Amino acid sequence: MPRELSEDPKDRLGVYKRLEEVPSRYRLNQHAAAYRDKDIWESFLEDHLFPQYSSNRYRQDTRRAGQFWKEHMADRGRHHALATPADVDQWCKSLLDRRNVRTVYNHYWVRLERFYSWLLARTDHPHVYQPFLMAAVEYDTASRIWDAKVSSR
């Protein structure tokens, strides 16, 4: 029987529970030069996500979520694959200004959280922490969206 995952995002994090705990050499901002002009989101879609999901609607919704994320990260001066938990929380706040919690979770959060989990699992990316989970632990707005995830089970 498969083991149930904890509903507490802190339990799903690895060694590092908060960005402040991550040694500076492992923080994602250290890799900005390596990611410049690379569309890692598109690679994630084509190599990982879209082969599993053929629905045109799903693909459109996912591209839209990614576009909003990339615009948000560009406005913050960072590459879309190199977020901090604060970037995630601010994105959540901006989405909740126009959408309800369930929509933000189902159409935005779930896709980007999966993107960062994919990055974390790949040896060709330097990711050693998950900023979406860290945001759910540290910030009230991201925590509200996490709670929508938990309550949808």
Side-chain angles (χ1 to χ4, degrees), residues 50 53-62:
F50 285 171
Y53 299 94
S54 60
S55 158
N56 284 335
R57 176 63 187 237
Y58 180 84
R59 288 174 180 229
Q60 287 176 331
D61 289 350
T62 302

Side-chain angles (χ1 to χ4, degrees), residues 2-140:
R3 196 179 87 169
E4 283 289 316
L5 291 175
S6 171
E7 292 183 352
D8 185 343
K10 193 172 190 176
D11 293 341
R12 295 186 185 196
L13 288 166
V15 173
Y16 308 117
K17 307 297 184 202
R18 300 174 65 92
L19 186 59
E20 296 77 29
E21 297 173 359
V22 179
S24 59
R25 71 180 178 275
Y26 296 129
R27 292 187 188 180
L28 296 177
N29 64 348
Q30 299 295 322
H31 304 283
Y35 280 79
R36 190 171 294 119
D37 300 325
K38 292 183 180 175
D39 192 343
I40 306 305
W41 175 254
E42 191 62 30
S43 298
F44 164 70
L45 297 181
E46 295 303 326
D47 298 341
H48 177 72
L49 197 60
F50 285 171
Q52 299 174 43
Y53 299 94
S54 60
S55 158
N56 284 335
R57 176 63 187 237
Y58 180 84
R59 288 174 180 229
Q60 287 176 331
D61 289 350
T62 302
R63 286 200 187 281
R64 182 175 38 257
Q67 188 58 41
F68 284 147
W69 176 250
K70 288 194 271 187
E71 289 169 4
H72 170 73
M73 290 299 290
D75 289 347
R76 294 179 67 85
R78 273 190 275 294
H79 188 277
H80 60 271
L82 305 176
T84 67
D87 295 326
V88 174
D89 192 62
Q90 286 301 311
W91 184 62
C92 293
K93 286 178 183 176
S94 70
L95 289 169
L96 285 174
D97 284 346
R98 300 180 306 263
R99 296 163 181 85
N100 69 48
V101 172
R102 288 259 196 246
T103 298
V104 172
Y105 170 70
N106 286 318
H107 293 276
Y108 298 90
W109 174 283
V110 72
R111 289 158 169 90
L112 273 298
E113 180 190 354
R114 190 167 183 178
F115 172 59
Y116 274 90
S117 293
W118 176 78
L119 289 167
L120 190 62
R122 298 194 42 109
T123 58
D124 55 334
H125 291 283
H127 295 65
V128 297
Y129 58 93
Q130 222 293 10
F132 274 73
L133 295 180
M134 284 180 168
V137 169
E138 189 170 346
Y139 296 101
D140 290 338

